[in-house]
Amino acid sequence: MSTATGTTDQTVTVDGHRLKLTNLDKVLYPQTGTTKGDIIDYYARVARVLIPHAANRPVTRKRWVHGVGTDEEPGEMFFQKNLDERSTPQWVPRREIQHSDHVNVYPLVNDLATLTWLAQIAAIEIHVPQWQFGRTGMRKNPDRMVLDLDPGPGAGLQECAEVARWARAILTDMGLDPMPVTSGSKGIHLYAAIDGRQTSDEVSEVAHELARALEADHPDLVVSDMRKTLRDGKVLVDWSQNNGNKTTITPYSLRGRSHPMVAAPRTWKELESKSLAQLDYREVLRRVEKKPDPLANLTAGHLASLEPTPERMAGFEFADGADDRLAKYRSMRDTAKTPEPVPAGVAPPSSGNTFVIQEHHASRLHYDFRLEHDGVLVSWALPKGVPTDIAKNHLAVQTEDHPLEYGTFEGTIPAGQYGAGKVTIWDSGTYDLEKWRDGKEVIATLHGEKHGSHRYALIQTGGRDGNDNNWLIHLMKSVDEQPPRHAKADSRRRVIGAEGKSRHDAGRLPSPMLATLGSEGELGDTTEWAFEMKWDGIRAIARVADGDVRLASRNGVDVTSTYPELQQLADAVDGDAIIDGEIVALTKSGRPDFGLLQRRMGVTRKGDVDRLMPSTPVHFMAFDMLELHGESLVKEEYDERRRVLEESVRSVGAIQVPPAFDGDIGAAMLTSRTLGLEGVLAKRRESTYSPGRRVRSWLKVKHHLTQEVVIGGWRPGKGTRAHRVGSLLMGIPDGDGLRYVGRVGTGFTTRDLDEMAGRLRRLERVTSPFDEVAAIDAKDAHWVSPTLVGEVEFAEWTPTGKLRQPSWRGWRPDKKPTEVVPESPLATP
């Protein structure tokens, strides 16, 4: 909504903020007649592609209040770093940087309103560093490397393109995926996403060495020295903009030259053109309206590179100055006086999805709501408890980040200490994330062990500098769940009650404990571990009660009717119990076959089940006992749970209790190979059972690599596969998008191909669900909604983040697309 206040002035509302726009017809580019109104319109139309490249980075502005002038008479320009508090709207997000003798406050271009305000004050050029602020305002390590290819006298854009191709070859060999931007001035910028483990100084040193290498290989065209006397006819490879104090013009920013040119992301194919030229703002607007951002992987890709894969975590070290997310937490606690966990080191990143809600009897009863995110538990205090009515929001006050170890903490914090009082766990488990906008909004569905599944939204209510800790928590509508009982109405919630009886919700089985990918080298003293087979089936939790068996898949779906033969479990166990295990289908030779199991998965009609049972029987491999005779065993160590399992469950018919190998990984791996399995599960013998959590006390040690993938399309086959599926296009969720990881065209049976076409046809859509797909793979693709999950076996990740030599293993109807994560070290794209 806007209201006219004059012939060239308007008051507009952008993202809920009122902003006065003045002198809209003022010409800021005299040679082209481009007005301030044109500039504001341009930034509004490119905001969706510009903001991701500038968000959370301190912005230095280059302003031309009276216009850029002409080639003969350039206009007056001035740099602006510090914000003018008197003239800056209070809603503009900002962060402080402590310099040697002063503090500067910088705006953050995190939203359209701020971008519009910058255009209004004639901040034509937007410059940012290669690093971002973290959630708590601390400076992170850089997440991208940049090279500025700047032509000297006698050289031009074609020479820069040639050097860019040489640099690309080196960067690709380093496992990086460089992306070009014509700078809008004279040269080309090359960006590459990096994993955030190096400091700015370390990245600068790498970039400097790369520039020297290019100079050594191509001395006639490349120079790495800044001295102008050396640059005639050559291209300077400027590596210095990786310095933490330096900035580079933001992609899609206008330039303050005589013509309104733009720092424009380009494709490598464009750089091959003999007519390559810089682009002005009109050309960029046409491109943005018709094509995706060629630089999109710069923001999407670095998120994947930061995934805490086992390989990274095994040797993870933080460089000096890394973002210590637990610094505030530690500063508020005395380790000698509080029983709370206070880890000494910097919290490494994680990809876990656990949550905990703790009942906290401090000076006033409240509840602490904590979600695992980026290596810590992001925390809010709920003074009025967990909301139970979708019509009533509750206050949520964001507090300091807590360590992951706090997720299992129960105890009494002594008087005189911060948060003094009794802490108990009201509920815990895992969550499915829909949205996470740092400092603004979180939407997640929590799957609790005690109170079931519920969907919540946390919304920041706004503040002068974007740091306001006051949020609202809202219970959202859920299709098949009822609101939880009010947290304050029952302060006695426990996994184990006063008499040692289980308090599991009778209508929901606990979520299974999850293993992490590992290697034999991580185990150390193998006598501390037990080794079990990694069965090639689907995970299931079984409840035996009053002679009846109920089965739930890993994500809580009831599969009892799909596998009626597993009712034999009631005869195999003495008394009521909750058992963790795997449902498998065996070949005639007794080997598990995941492809065979596919025939049974998802079948629910009794007639179909009865027809399939004789030809494709299933077995239940029981490997953990969670409860027996109403007594919970989750707090017992593995050895004790295993003893109870072996004493209480008999191997009868379809029910098996496979052996464990105590401390002998060699024998376990040999047995696994003999059975044709993926590998073994190593379980630390002193570990307790943590429902719904992915832990390192259980490690998957594999013979080969497998990966769950989301299917986003297919390509038709040729020859004998004409009119059938030739290959499936695969992706892995990455941030808010779907990252393309290649296509699979082998491993399909005739039955697979016959069934696949109908299944995919029902999901057809017009546009690609992937963030970006190479043209050669998208050539004749049929796109589908990304709702189906499959599994492939593959050789390795390529340097560009694709699966090498994938082979189809089958569908995974027991998995949701949101559950798919890289299961082995994934290459940085």
Side-chain angles (χ1 to χ4, degrees):
M1 177 180 177
S2 63
T3 56
T5 58
T7 57
T8 65
D9 295 356
Q10 288 185 359
T11 297
V12 298
T13 299
V14 184
D15 291 341
H17 302 298
R18 288 176 62 81
L19 179 62
K20 186 176 182 180
L21 306 180
T22 60
N23 300 319
L24 295 177
D25 60 356
K26 182 176 183 177
V27 175
L28 294 185
Y29 288 85
Q31 290 191 203
T32 60
T34 306
T35 66
K36 183 198 281 191
D38 294 329
I39 292 172
I40 292 174
D41 176 68
Y42 167 78
Y43 276 125
R45 293 165 67 183
V46 300
R48 66 176 179 83
V49 288
L50 183 153
I51 290 173
H53 301 302
N56 301 315
R57 304 176 195 269
V59 172
T60 296
R61 291 83 70 205
K62 290 178 73 171
R63 297 178 60 188
W64 283 265
V65 177
H66 302 296
V68 301
T70 64
D71 290 335
E72 294 74 22
E73 289 189 55
E76 182 181 359
M77 180 275 294
F78 65 95
F79 272 100
Q80 189 171 15
K81 294 178 180 285
N82 204 21
L83 277 179
D84 184 343
E85 295 288 349
R86 294 170 300 176
S87 60
T88 302
Q90 292 186 350
W91 43 259
V92 171
R94 63 201 76 187
R95 292 292 190 190
E96 295 182 351
I97 295 181
Q98 175 68 59
H99 296 281
S100 57
D101 57 352
H102 66 285
V103 174
N104 275 348
V105 181
Y106 292 79
L108 307 178
V109 181
N110 289 5
D111 51 60
L112 174 59
T114 300
L115 187 57
T116 304
W117 170 71
L118 289 175
Q120 155 61 24
I121 64 172
I124 291 176
E125 290 191 8
I126 300 169
H127 293 248
V128 296
Q130 314 317 319
W131 54 268
Q132 301 185 40
F133 286 108
R135 185 174 56 252
T136 60
M138 296 189 69
R139 171 174 157 176
K140 291 185 174 183
N141 280 338
D143 55 22
R144 63 194 192 195
M145 176 191 290
V146 65
L147 295 175
D148 180 4
L149 310 182
D150 186 11
L157 199 56
Q158 287 295 335
E159 286 75 18
C160 290
E162 182 70 13
V163 175
R165 288 188 286 272
W166 294 336
R168 182 190 189 189
I170 296 176
L171 289 165
T172 300
D173 286 343
M174 294 168 59
L176 301 177
D177 182 16
M179 291 162 263
V181 174
T182 46
S183 68
S185 178
K186 295 182 295 180
I188 292 174
H189 295 158
L190 281 187
Y191 286 93
I194 55 178
D195 65 9
R197 286 194 291 177
Q198 291 82 29
T199 65
S200 294
D201 288 345
E202 290 168 332
V203 174
S204 291
E205 185 58 34
V206 171
H208 195 180
E209 287 300 319
L210 193 155
R212 288 173 178 153
L214 286 169
E215 183 178 34
D217 290 343
H218 308 282
D220 293 337
L221 188 57
V222 178
V223 62
S224 65
D225 194 300
M226 303 288 180
R227 287 177 292 177
K228 292 184 178 180
T229 56
L230 302 176
R231 294 177 56 186
D232 285 354
K234 296 184 180 182
V235 174
L236 170 67
V237 180
D238 183 357
W239 49 271
S240 67
Q241 291 176 37
N242 297 286
N243 184 302
N245 297 321
K246 296 288 188 70
T247 61
T248 306
I249 192 161
T250 302
Y252 293 104
S253 172
L254 284 160
R255 300 302 300 248
R257 301 176 64 82
S258 58
H259 285 67
M261 311 306 285
V262 173
R266 311 296 287 269
T267 66
W268 283 104
K269 184 177 181 179
E270 287 182 287
L271 261 63
E272 297 287 344
S273 173
K274 298 299 182 183
S275 59
L276 177 68
Q278 304 286 346
L279 300 179
D280 71 13
Y281 81 104
R282 292 186 180 89
E283 294 170 301
V284 171
L285 284 176
R286 288 193 290 270
R287 292 163 64 93
V288 167
E289 290 171 358
K290 295 180 180 179
K291 300 178 181 179
D293 178 14
L295 208 63
N297 278 353
L298 187 63
T299 53
H302 83 271
L303 298 177
S305 70
L306 291 172
E307 286 290 344
T309 59
E311 183 176 84
R312 278 197 68 216
M313 298 303 293
F316 197 95
E317 292 183 6
F318 276 86
D320 291 342
D323 184 3
D324 183 358
R325 288 152 289 198
L326 297 177
K328 185 175 181 180
Y329 173 89
R330 277 192 292 270
S331 71
M332 302 166 73
R333 287 161 176 83
D334 185 339
T335 56
K337 296 179 180 179
T338 181
E340 299 165 281
V342 186
V346 176
S350 76
S351 61
N353 62 332
T354 63
F355 83 89
V356 65
I357 301 175
Q358 286 157 320
E359 181 181 324
H360 194 167
H361 291 264
S363 56
R364 179 177 298 178
L365 172 63
H366 67 274
Y367 289 76
D368 294 314
F369 187 97
R370 313 189 196 279
L371 301 177
E372 179 179 354
H373 184 69
D374 199 20
V376 296
L377 291 173
V378 182
S379 300
W380 293 263
L382 311 182
K384 296 187 178 181
V386 183
T388 60
D389 185 343
I390 61 174
K392 294 181 180 179
N393 298 328
H394 285 191
L395 174 66
V397 181
Q398 188 164 18
T399 61
E400 73 279 8
D401 293 339
H402 282 52
L404 295 183
E405 294 88 339
Y406 216 97
T408 57
F409 173 68
E410 291 186 298
T412 300
I413 303 171
Q417 298 300 299
Y418 174 75
K422 188 176 182 180
V423 177
T424 58
I425 295 177
W426 183 75
D427 204 356
S428 63
T430 60
Y431 70 90
D432 295 329
L433 182 64
E434 292 182 44
K435 183 182 291 187
W436 191 295
R437 298 168 63 211
D438 274 345
K440 292 186 177 181
E441 181 183 16
V442 177
I443 300 177
T445 299
L446 275 56
H447 303 295
E449 300 168 26
K450 306 176 188 178
H451 297 290
S453 298
H454 303 285
R455 188 164 169 247
Y456 297 98
L458 286 148
I459 303 168
Q460 206 256 8
T461 56
R464 183 176 183 274
D465 59 359
N467 292 326
D468 196 324
N469 292 326
N470 287 339
W471 295 55
L472 292 177
I473 183 169
H474 170 66
L475 175 65
M476 304 179 74
K477 290 183 179 179
S478 181
V479 175
D480 54 3
E481 296 289 344
Q482 296 300 316
R485 292 165 289 182
H486 198 291
K488 286 191 174 181
D490 186 356
S491 63
R492 299 177 63 248
R493 304 285 192 256
R494 285 286 201 279
V495 174
I496 304 297
E499 298 179 0
K501 299 298 182 182
S502 171
R503 298 297 190 196
H504 285 302
D505 183 344
R508 178 178 173 83
L509 291 172
S511 300
M513 178 169 162
L514 304 175
T516 303
L517 185 68
S519 65
E520 291 188 46
E522 296 178 56
L523 300 176
D525 184 0
T526 58
T527 61
E528 297 177 357
W529 299 79
F531 303 99
E532 301 175 1
M533 296 298 100
K534 188 180 186 304
W535 298 106
D536 205 2
I538 61 169
R539 193 77 172 275
I541 299 290
R543 183 199 295 277
V544 180
D546 299 324
D548 185 56
V549 176
R550 181 186 164 210
L551 298 164
S553 69
R554 169 180 156 177
N555 53 21
V557 176
D558 192 311
V559 294
T560 308
S561 62
T562 300
Y563 308 106
E565 61 264 58
L566 299 186
Q567 290 295 319
Q568 293 179 40
L569 190 58
D571 299 323
V573 64
D574 295 324
D576 293 351
I578 297 178
I579 302 169
D580 191 356
E582 189 98 352
I583 299 174
V584 302
L586 304 179
T587 64
K588 292 181 180 179
S589 61
R591 294 186 177 185
D593 187 329
F594 186 71
L596 198 61
L597 183 62
Q598 294 275 302
R599 303 178 189 178
R600 295 287 302 273
M601 293 165 65
V603 179
T604 56
R605 290 178 53 187
K606 186 177 185 304
D608 294 335
V609 173
D610 291 343
R611 177 176 53 82
L612 288 169
M613 280 175 58
S615 61
T616 314
V618 299
H619 290 68
F620 183 76
M621 303 297 188
F623 52 67
D624 215 320
M625 181 69 78
L626 310 189
E627 182 180 304
L628 184 64
H629 306 313
E631 195 83 26
S632 175
L633 299 172
V634 295
K635 300 299 184 183
E636 301 292 339
E637 294 184 354
Y638 169 85
D639 280 347
E640 175 61 14
R641 300 197 312 275
R642 182 74 196 188
R643 182 190 66 78
V644 174
L645 176 74
E646 292 177 348
E647 291 180 356
S648 304
V649 182
R650 297 180 296 279
S651 293
V652 178
I655 311 303
Q656 301 291 319
V657 182
F661 297 77
D662 292 340
D664 191 348
I665 190 171
M669 293 295 280
L670 178 60
T671 302
S672 175
R673 286 192 183 93
T674 302
L675 291 173
L677 299 177
E678 291 182 68
V680 303
L681 275 171
K683 300 183 177 181
R684 192 174 287 280
R685 298 173 64 177
E686 64 180 17
S687 63
T688 58
Y689 194 96
S690 300
R693 296 183 181 170
R694 189 174 297 281
V695 297
R696 297 199 66 79
S697 54
W698 283 14
L699 295 179
K700 295 180 285 188
V701 183
K702 295 186 177 183
H703 304 302
H704 49 252
L705 299 175
T706 61
Q707 175 63 52
E708 292 166 1
V709 292
V710 179
I711 303 304
W714 61 278
R715 293 181 62 187
K718 298 178 181 179
T720 59
R721 280 212 206 162
H723 311 299
R724 280 181 167 176
V725 173
S727 60
L728 297 175
L729 307 184
M730 307 174 291
I732 293 178
D734 186 4
D736 293 330
L738 186 65
R739 175 181 172 184
Y740 180 65
V741 296
R743 53 194 176 98
V744 56
T746 61
F748 303 121
T749 65
T750 302
R751 181 194 292 267
D752 290 335
L753 294 172
D754 290 342
E755 181 270 343
M756 231 171 238
R759 178 181 292 203
L760 295 171
R761 193 173 295 114
R762 291 190 292 271
L763 297 173
E764 283 189 355
R765 55 184 273 175
V766 176
T767 58
S768 167
F770 299 106
D771 293 336
E772 186 174 353
V773 183
I776 191 171
D777 284 356
K779 181 179 178 183
D780 54 357
H782 297 255
W783 306 117
V784 299
S785 296
T787 60
L788 298 176
V789 176
E791 185 173 294
V792 296
E793 184 177 310
F794 68 105
E796 62 180 349
W797 289 101
T798 71
T800 57
K802 304 297 187 297
L803 297 169
R804 193 188 301 281
Q805 299 174 2
S807 179
W808 184 250
R809 300 192 73 238
W811 295 108
R812 295 304 306 253
D814 59 319
K815 300 292 180 68
K816 300 176 183 177
T818 53
E819 295 179 289
V820 174
V821 297
E823 295 200 28
S824 55
L826 182 147
T828 304

